[in-house]
Amino acid sequence: MVIGEINFWSILVSGLLAGYVMAFVGYWMEGILGLPRYDVTLAGTVFLGQDKPGRWTLGFIVHEIDAVLFGIIYAGFLYDILPGADYLKGLIFGAILTVAIFILGTIGSIAGGKVFKAIPNKPKDLLTSLSLRLIYGVVLGLMYTPV
């Protein structure tokens, strides 16, 4: 199925897989360069509470939906204009995504957004976020097959 210039099935599978790899690596970040573990299920904590049943499941579902939506942005708006091979396009997209999320998160937190206040924003957390989004971008770039 192709929507406009986007290969829908390719971006769906690529986004889900890239999001899963990002989540998997995020849980193992503590042992790498002393970076903190990255919990992709923060959205579940915000909506349901720290120890509520379903927190992890809801948070992971929200994370995977975000991964596909960001993939659609990549495929629909940036794939054709980013330079280089597919992995480089993905790497650049991961960097752009990190900066955009940081800016939106900062603005949202200042404005009082409940979800944004849960996002860690210490220097090591930002380095972890950048690393994971670069990994997400590379996997997305390598997996996505355009029309």
Side-chain angles (χ1 to χ4, degrees):
M1 176 179 209
V2 177
I3 299 174
E5 295 295 319
I6 298 174
N7 184 339
F8 176 76
W9 293 113
S10 179
I11 203 60
L12 177 67
V13 171
S14 301
L16 289 172
L17 184 61
Y20 179 80
V21 169
M22 178 184 171
F24 181 78
V25 172
Y27 282 110
W28 295 97
M29 292 301 285
E30 288 172 303
I32 301 173
L33 302 174
L35 295 175
R37 180 180 80 130
Y38 193 80
D39 187 0
V40 298
T41 65
L42 285 174
T45 301
V46 170
F47 295 125
L48 297 178
Q50 186 62 35
D51 293 323
K52 301 284 182 172
R55 171 197 71 87
W56 192 91
T57 304
L58 176 64
F60 194 78
I61 289 170
V62 169
H63 169 73
E64 287 294 296
I65 290 169
D66 286 346
V68 172
L69 291 176
F70 290 139
I72 291 170
I73 292 169
Y74 168 75
F77 297 103
L78 298 173
Y79 182 83
D80 290 333
I81 62 173
L82 291 174
D86 291 342
Y87 75 91
L88 183 59
K89 289 179 185 213
L91 195 67
I92 294 168
F93 177 67
I96 291 169
L97 185 59
T98 303
V99 170
I101 288 174
F102 175 74
I103 291 170
L104 290 174
T106 301
I107 292 169
S109 182
I110 291 169
K114 186 177 178 183
V115 173
F116 297 109
K117 289 186 179 192
I119 298 172
N121 59 4
K122 295 178 183 129
K124 280 190 173 185
D125 294 324
L126 297 175
L127 184 56
T128 299
S129 178
L130 174 63
S131 302
L132 290 173
R133 287 196 175 77
L134 292 177
I135 290 168
Y136 165 81
V138 168
V139 173
L140 185 72
L142 288 172
M143 294 288 302
Y144 176 65
T145 305
V147 178

